[in-house]
Amino acid sequence: MRTRLQTSLAMLSALLAQSAFAQDMDARARAAAAASRAKSSDSDAIGQNYLTPGLANQPVNTVDNSRSFTPNLACQKSATMLEMLVQPGSTGDITHFTISRDKDLDGAFDTTLTLPVPVSGICANGVISCSPGSWNQCQSFKWDVGGTGDLKLTQVDLADLSGCYCVNASCGANLASGNLPSILKDLGGGVIGALTTADPRIAVAQASIDGPVIRYTGAQTTACTASPSVSATAYRSNPTAINGDAYAATQTSSVFTALAASPAGNGKAEETRSCTIEREINVKEWGFGDIVSASGSITSTSSCGTGCLRFQIRGAGSCGSNPPVYTVTFNPLMPNRIVSARIIEMGADDWVQGRINGQVVGYAGKRPWTGDGLPSGDCRISDDPRYNRTPIDFTDRLKSGATSVSARVRGGGGGNWGYVTVEIQVDTTCEVSERLVDLCAGYASDPACHLSQEDVDGVETVRNGVVTGIKPLPLTRLFGRGSCTFQYSRDFFLRTRRYACIVDTSGTAQPDLSRAAYIIDHSTETMLADQTRASDGSLVQLTRAFALPDLPAVAACESICKTRAPSANDGVAPAGTVAEKQNVPVGWDSFYHVCSSDNVCPLGAGEEIVSPCGCLNDFPEAVVMMQTVRLAGSDLACTAVAR
């Protein structure tokens, strides 16, 4: 009796200890889950706790805040790489839009861009400018980056923009002011997309929104070089090199050799691989500012024909020992498109001295002035101008690098001026490039692969490995825009293929699942059965008591609620604003929120409850919406027309 009592007490103690251990594990698991959710529950939390401090050279804390470290993820960092300030006007348009940028990531702003046009609409990759307060005389602009890395707006067709919506008074009242945080994010996303596309080394993360200002943290992470052309993006311009480089890497990789010789690498199976053959035709329109930039003491600029500009460097002189010098620096952005660069005229009353990169190249005056000293003779004589119209060519110097042209002026009295006129001629003809990007070459040359599907410009030519007999007609398409519009006729522009490739799997050893099958077939909720193999090869069956700890009660679902808030129909299409085509210009935005522990729906600003907290299931509604879109797409007839 005593022995039985001791045994019962021991079993009871074990069960109590197991229950307490389970409760302790449950509490620890819930605490760990809550801490992790607080750190990374959404994109804002991930950015604030990890991405932003990691890129800004600031400490990053562990989930439980017990430790911190400062990661070194970038070569250069800037706490504020980009700052945008927007201010809506009385018409709802954004009338003041300034972008300050730290190009070299040294912690100080280098450039500031103020948009010269009001912003009436916002797109994922650009903006739309219309007559203030209306949707008339609209122009579309795309965010772009110039040859010097400066941000700019390039005028494009509306079809080249995406995700556009209206913000001025023509679509509703106070759209820009009432939705300023989301507008700042949309504008910033377009700017950041243009910058990172032009320079893949840059990594950015949203830091904060402060009223009408949004600031971004930036860093250089891809490569520690001064050139944006890094090896990480080499395959972007030459994707066909991937197959050859991959093969070369396998020949020297011990890991690949080991995997290729493993049982998993010896079998045979058929894999489906997709690829494309695409004809890329790019048309680029060149302007004078894309080829040569000028900065400094420019008095006036005038046109001298197509691709030709004249710059006048002019200023007042002095009869003192140090006559003033007026300088303009010309920077060659595309040297191979520079046709000529000359000083075509010098004029002064009394003297002017022309200099290139600080060296005297000519003068105009009553007497020679070819050195650094002063010309001999009197000064302060008016109404007696002198001119020198002998051309002085400096084309080779400008093609070699930045070149400065200066006017050193000496004069006084009523005639107190001097100038140097520079004429630069560039080639602004359109640049057209065409190439065929064949990503199927590797599969086509592989004897283990055969073509199973092919689509040529929307026409199915191969189906299940059999030629359909249908061939597409040659297509004619327009490329470019404005004066740089070209028409090309080709037998195809895009081939989409699918290859079936044989992979050898004959040598793959089949896994032994007999033990797992025995455990599953013979175990119960209170007994765990097992089968092992002894040293002599015989099978040994074992059983032991088994019990799961009491699990806490879990809700049938995560309690959520559905809400809605009124929203202006501010979408934009080439035909105009969406609101103009609808009887009711206001729609609804739907939201889903996770309810609080006391089953309360956290309403946002302007929201009203559609479905209270509970186990909501809107899957049938989603299916109906998707089916509606699918059937509407089937009824549409698209016609390719020139635009």
Side-chain angles (χ1 to χ4, degrees):
M1 181 72 181
R2 182 178 180 182
T3 303
R4 273 191 251 168
L5 179 60
Q6 288 176 341
T7 304
S8 300
L9 290 174
M11 293 177 62
L12 179 60
S13 299
L15 290 174
L16 291 174
Q18 187 179 31
S19 177
F21 180 70
Q23 293 177 358
D24 180 62
M25 289 182 60
D26 178 68
R28 289 163 56 193
R30 291 182 182 276
S36 176
R37 190 180 299 113
K39 286 277 190 177
S40 56
S41 59
D42 52 33
S43 58
D44 291 337
I46 293 174
Q48 179 181 355
N49 295 311
Y50 301 113
L51 189 56
T52 298
L55 292 177
N57 199 28
Q58 297 174 356
V60 175
N61 296 323
T62 56
V63 173
D64 59 357
N65 292 322
S66 61
R67 297 182 182 181
S68 65
F69 63 97
T70 302
N72 186 17
L73 303 178
C75 310
Q76 293 177 299
K77 309 173 185 69
S78 175
T80 306
M81 188 205 74
L82 189 74
E83 181 177 283
M84 293 174 43
L85 169 65
V86 301
Q87 292 179 342
S90 58
T91 59
D93 303 84
I94 297 176
T95 55
H96 182 79
F97 191 166
T98 303
I99 303 175
S100 301
R101 182 182 168 204
D102 180 6
K103 292 177 60 177
D104 53 8
L105 303 178
D106 62 352
F109 290 134
D110 306 309
T111 60
T112 300
L113 172 65
T114 300
L115 265 63
V117 295
V119 176
S120 309
I122 299 172
C123 305
N125 56 343
V127 297
I128 301 173
S129 178
C130 307
S131 296
S134 69
W135 204 254
N136 301 322
Q137 299 177 351
C138 297
Q139 294 178 306
S140 306
F141 298 92
K142 181 179 180 181
W143 293 112
D144 201 355
V145 178
T148 58
D150 292 331
L151 189 68
K152 66 177 183 178
L153 285 176
T154 301
Q155 187 169 355
V156 296
D157 296 328
L158 181 59
D160 294 330
L161 303 179
S162 58
C164 301
Y165 60 92
C166 171
V167 296
N168 68 7
S170 66
C171 298
N174 299 321
L175 293 179
S177 302
N179 302 279
L180 197 57
S182 62
I183 286 177
L184 284 170
K185 291 182 180 180
D186 292 340
L187 289 170
V191 172
I192 294 302
L195 293 177
T196 54
T197 300
D199 191 347
R201 301 170 303 161
I202 298 176
V204 293
Q206 181 174 330
S208 63
I209 295 179
D210 183 10
V213 177
I214 184 170
R215 299 181 180 91
Y216 285 88
T217 298
Q220 180 179 327
T221 60
T222 305
C224 300
T225 65
S227 172
S229 300
V230 294
S231 58
T233 61
Y235 296 123
R236 180 180 179 183
S237 59
N238 186 19
T240 57
I242 295 178
N243 289 340
D245 291 351
Y247 178 79
T250 61
Q251 303 307 301
T252 57
S253 173
S254 59
V255 176
F256 178 84
T257 304
L259 290 176
S262 67
N266 293 331
K268 286 185 177 180
E270 188 174 84
E271 295 181 350
T272 301
R273 300 169 183 175
S274 300
C275 60
T276 59
I277 304 175
E278 185 174 6
R279 190 183 309 278
E280 292 185 354
I281 299 178
N282 297 315
V283 180
K284 181 172 178 57
E285 184 178 3
W286 290 95
F288 190 95
D290 299 325
I291 301 171
V292 176
S293 66
S295 61
S297 303
I298 301 174
T299 306
S300 63
T301 304
S302 60
S303 174
C304 48
T306 302
C308 181
L309 285 181
R310 288 178 180 170
F311 302 85
Q312 188 177 81
I313 309 168
R314 187 185 185 98
S318 170
C319 290
S321 58
N322 293 309
V325 178
Y326 304 92
T327 302
V328 173
T329 300
F330 298 95
N331 189 26
L333 307 179
M334 292 296 296
N336 59 324
R337 283 188 166 263
I338 297 175
V339 178
S340 66
R342 304 180 302 163
I343 296 176
I344 62 171
E345 185 178 52
M346 290 181 279
D349 189 355
D350 300 319
W351 284 276
V352 65
Q353 189 180 67
R355 296 187 172 206
I356 298 178
N357 290 337
Q359 297 180 351
V360 180
V361 295
Y363 71 93
K366 341 184 251 191
R367 283 179 288 279
W369 188 16
T370 59
D372 293 334
L374 300 179
S376 61
D378 48 6
C379 188
R380 305 184 185 278
I381 295 178
S382 61
D383 299 328
D384 191 15
R386 306 294 177 122
Y387 300 95
N388 182 351
R389 295 185 175 89
T390 302
I392 301 173
D393 189 278
F394 61 98
T395 306
D396 293 338
R397 297 189 189 183
L398 183 56
K399 287 185 175 182
S400 300
T403 303
S404 64
V405 179
S406 306
R408 188 183 183 197
V409 183
R410 183 170 188 257
N416 181 15
W417 52 269
Y419 69 87
V420 172
T421 301
V422 176
E423 179 183 280
I424 298 180
Q425 175 77 38
V426 298
D427 179 11
T428 57
T429 57
C430 304
E431 180 178 339
V432 182
S433 62
E434 178 178 353
R435 67 169 183 165
L436 196 65
V437 182
D438 187 358
L439 301 181
C440 300
Y443 302 138
S445 60
D446 190 344
C449 299
H450 68 275
L451 182 63
S452 62
Q453 303 284 342
E454 183 183 56
D455 181 285
V456 181
D457 292 326
V459 178
E460 190 176 20
T461 57
V462 178
R463 179 188 301 168
N464 296 327
V466 179
V467 178
T468 62
I470 304 174
K471 294 183 179 180
L473 297 175
L475 297 178
T476 299
R477 293 182 180 179
L478 294 176
F479 296 88
R481 55 185 295 273
S483 60
C484 285
T485 302
F486 296 90
Q487 178 175 290
Y488 288 94
S489 297
R490 297 291 186 269
D491 54 348
F492 78 93
F493 287 93
L494 176 64
R495 291 181 183 267
T496 303
R497 288 180 172 179
R498 184 175 296 172
Y499 285 86
C501 300
I502 302 299
V503 180
D504 189 1
T505 59
S506 58
T508 304
Q510 297 298 321
D512 184 5
L513 303 178
S514 59
R515 183 183 180 188
Y518 183 88
I519 295 173
I520 294 174
D521 293 341
H522 296 81
S523 297
T524 66
E525 295 181 355
T526 59
M527 182 191 69
L528 177 64
D530 195 4
Q531 177 177 270
T532 60
R533 190 174 296 276
S535 59
D536 59 356
S538 62
L539 295 177
V540 179
Q541 286 82 26
L542 303 173
T543 59
R544 62 175 178 173
F546 174 74
L548 290 173
D550 294 334
L551 299 178
V554 179
C557 68
E558 184 176 34
S559 181
I560 62 173
C561 59
K562 180 180 180 181
T563 66
R564 71 176 185 176
S567 173
N569 293 328
D570 55 3
V572 173
T577 58
V578 174
E580 294 178 353
K581 310 297 181 182
Q582 296 180 338
N583 296 329
V584 181
V586 178
W588 297 92
D589 287 337
S590 297
F591 305 93
Y592 290 88
H593 301 287
V594 177
C595 296
S596 61
S597 57
D598 53 353
N599 220 32
V600 175
C601 181
L603 291 175
E607 295 180 22
E608 61 182 43
I609 295 179
V610 177
S611 300
C613 294
C615 296
L616 303 185
N617 181 10
D618 285 350
F619 183 75
E621 180 181 350
V623 171
V624 171
M625 295 174 65
M626 290 187 290
Q627 182 73 346
T628 302
V629 174
R630 186 186 72 82
L631 294 176
S634 301
D635 291 339
L636 292 177
C638 299
T639 304
V641 296
R643 57 178 176 81

